[in-house]
Amino acid sequence: MLIDVSYFVSGPRHIQNASTSKTAGADSLAVTGHIEAYIKKLQPVFLESMLGEKEAGYAMDYLDMSDDEGNEDTEPSKYEIVCNKLKEPFADYVLFHILRDSSSEATITGNVRLKCANEYISPVNAQVIAWNRMVSANVKFIQWARDGNCPIDLVTQTNMLIKINQFNL
């Protein structure tokens, strides 16, 4: 996998009860499982948006192979170099989707907004911050690639490079 739950344990992407501990409680295990499911679901979508369909497939193959083999002390492959540059923006992409999906609950009669006991920032503001932080990192990645440092040919979707605001303007 490109990232793991450790990106959500503390810092600006902190999700309550996220834990990397093997002895975590039931709440932490549920949160960790939820985050891991998002990572697994969104990784191919993000890579395809940033690299293009062909290169994303190769990057996914590399990530699957590196998960199976573990770390080796060899020269980094071109996909390792690219994937390392995309870890932080992908973590923000995952956080954006988690926040977006958990701000309301769908029922048969419509959407119900959930109440948060620990509300420090509105979910909409947190989503905007996460997305815009991702876009800033993606722009730096594209600039790095344009400077001739990227070992692969990129086909990046433009929506991954456009900031948003809470009013969707």
Side-chain angles (χ1 to χ4, degrees):
M1 298 310 266
L2 192 56
I3 63 171
D4 59 18
V5 177
S6 65
Y7 284 81
F8 305 95
V9 172
S10 64
R13 295 182 205 98
H14 179 255
I15 295 177
Q16 188 173 3
N17 291 329
S19 175
T20 56
S21 172
K22 300 290 184 201
T23 60
D27 287 345
S28 290
L29 291 175
V31 169
T32 299
H34 189 74
I35 294 169
E36 287 172 346
Y38 270 89
I39 292 170
K40 186 176 183 180
K41 176 184 170 197
L42 294 173
Q43 180 174 288
V45 176
F46 178 79
L47 288 175
E48 191 171 314
S49 297
M50 289 303 296
L51 305 178
E53 186 176 343
K54 178 179 146 189
E55 295 294 350
Y58 293 141
M60 288 293 296
D61 290 344
Y62 161 76
L63 291 168
D64 290 342
M65 193 170 58
S66 66
D67 286 346
D68 294 339
E69 294 178 4
N71 294 334
E72 297 178 11
D73 291 333
T74 60
E75 185 175 325
S77 76
K78 61 184 178 180
Y79 292 103
E80 181 178 4
I81 294 166
V82 170
C83 287
N84 283 339
K85 294 267 186 199
L86 292 174
K87 288 181 179 194
E88 293 291 329
F90 178 57
D92 287 322
Y93 184 76
V94 170
L95 179 63
F96 171 82
H97 283 275
I98 289 172
L99 292 170
R100 184 191 69 182
D101 293 348
S102 61
S103 64
S104 67
E105 179 180 18
T107 67
I108 192 113
T109 58
N111 286 341
V112 177
R113 291 202 173 252
L114 300 177
K115 295 181 180 177
C116 177
N118 298 320
E119 188 171 344
Y120 298 109
I121 184 169
S122 76
V124 172
N125 285 341
Q127 289 173 37
V128 170
I129 291 167
W131 183 268
N132 290 342
R133 192 172 48 227
M134 177 206 68
V135 167
S136 295
N138 287 348
V139 167
K140 288 178 185 174
F141 173 76
I142 295 300
Q143 185 60 48
W144 171 81
R146 284 188 181 156
D147 289 344
N149 298 315
C150 189
I152 62 174
D153 293 326
L154 302 178
V155 181
T156 303
Q157 294 178 6
T158 55
N159 67 312
M160 300 299 283
L161 304 172
I162 297 173
K163 290 188 175 187
I164 60 173
N165 64 41
Q166 66 183 6
F167 303 112
N168 201 25
L169 299 174

